[in-house]
Amino acid sequence: MAAAATTKNVMVLLLLALLPLATLSSRAGPSSAYKSHGHSHRSSPSAKHPPPSPSPPSSPPSAPSPAPAATAALVRATCNSTAYYDLCVSALGADPSSATADVRGLSAIAVSVAAANASGGAATAAALAANGTAPTGTAAAASSSTVVDGTVQALLHACAAKYASARDALAAAGDSIALEDYDFASVHVSAAAEYPQVCRTLFRRQRPGQYPAELAAREETLKQLCSVALDIIGLLSNSS
């Protein structure tokens, strides 16, 4: 009986002695595992970032739009029907509205340009008369005396009035075109072309060789501009 109790006590002591070792062993296991896991985490290669995607190539600059034609096709076609093509294209092309105008609009522009020339002729004649000196390019200017006599001054005033009448006739032609009365428009333009010729005739009769060169140039240009206007108005008359 005593031997059995002794054996039991020995076994209890052995269990008590082994219990701390088991506890220490169980605690050491997770720690070493954590260390091993941590070491494994540190030794793993770092994650690589993907390279940035290349930016799309920039589109080339768009080509500039072609410049609009200096002269509208209708202007060229209309001027082909006139006796003075170059003058017609120059006169009509100088007005920006000619690029979109129809034939009636082009005729109004032609009449307006002629009226501006006539107005300039009136101003030129009036200035020559007011200056009291012989116009350039005349026989009187080449002589020793450059003072204009009363007759020449009177002729210059008459020329100023004739050019003013031409300007008014062209203004009336513009009104007739607006009303689509092309017959009356032609009459007014024809009259405007005649007025400067009266000025030349007066000088030829009363003071030959003293017709001012400035007025001679105005007369020729106005005659051609009126011809252009009449030709364009004729296109309107034929199409109406």
Side-chain angles (χ1 to χ4, degrees):
M1 183 73 176
T6 301
T7 301
K8 183 177 180 181
N9 290 336
V10 170
M11 291 181 65
V12 170
L13 291 174
L14 288 174
L15 289 174
L16 291 175
L18 292 175
L19 182 60
L21 294 175
T23 303
L24 291 174
S25 176
S26 63
R27 289 181 180 178
S31 175
S32 62
Y34 174 78
K35 290 180 180 179
S36 175
H37 176 73
H39 177 74
S40 173
H41 177 73
R42 286 194 301 270
S43 62
S44 62
S46 59
K48 295 182 179 180
H49 297 286
S53 58
S55 58
S58 58
S59 58
S62 58
S65 57
T71 307
L74 182 59
V75 171
R76 297 192 298 269
T78 302
C79 289
N80 274 330
S81 301
T82 68
Y84 302 98
Y85 175 83
D86 291 338
L87 177 63
C88 176
V89 170
S90 175
L92 298 184
D95 191 320
S97 65
S98 65
T100 56
D102 55 10
V103 177
R104 184 159 70 100
L106 295 179
S107 69
I109 294 173
V111 166
S112 177
V113 173
N117 179 275
S119 181
T124 298
L128 291 173
N131 288 340
T133 57
T136 59
T138 66
S143 65
S144 58
S145 176
T146 58
V147 178
V148 178
D149 60 29
T151 300
V152 172
Q153 281 189 318
L155 291 175
L156 289 172
H157 283 300
C159 288
K162 294 302 179 183
Y163 275 95
S165 296
R167 176 197 60 210
D168 295 341
L170 290 165
D175 294 338
S176 296
I177 291 173
L179 297 174
E180 300 185 15
D181 191 345
Y182 304 126
D183 290 337
F184 268 109
S186 296
V187 170
H188 290 309
V189 174
S190 297
E194 294 291 334
Y195 285 119
Q197 297 180 25
V198 174
C199 177
R200 175 188 287 273
T201 300
L202 291 174
F203 264 94
R204 186 173 64 245
R205 290 177 179 176
Q206 301 183 39
R207 286 294 184 271
Q210 295 188 35
Y211 185 51
E214 297 94 326
L215 293 182
R218 288 278 184 180
E219 177 190 351
E220 181 62 24
T221 302
L222 181 58
K223 181 182 72 173
Q224 295 180 10
L225 288 172
C226 287
S227 173
V228 168
L230 285 172
D231 289 339
I232 299 177
I233 293 172
L235 294 175
L236 294 170
S237 299
N238 295 334
S239 62
S240 60

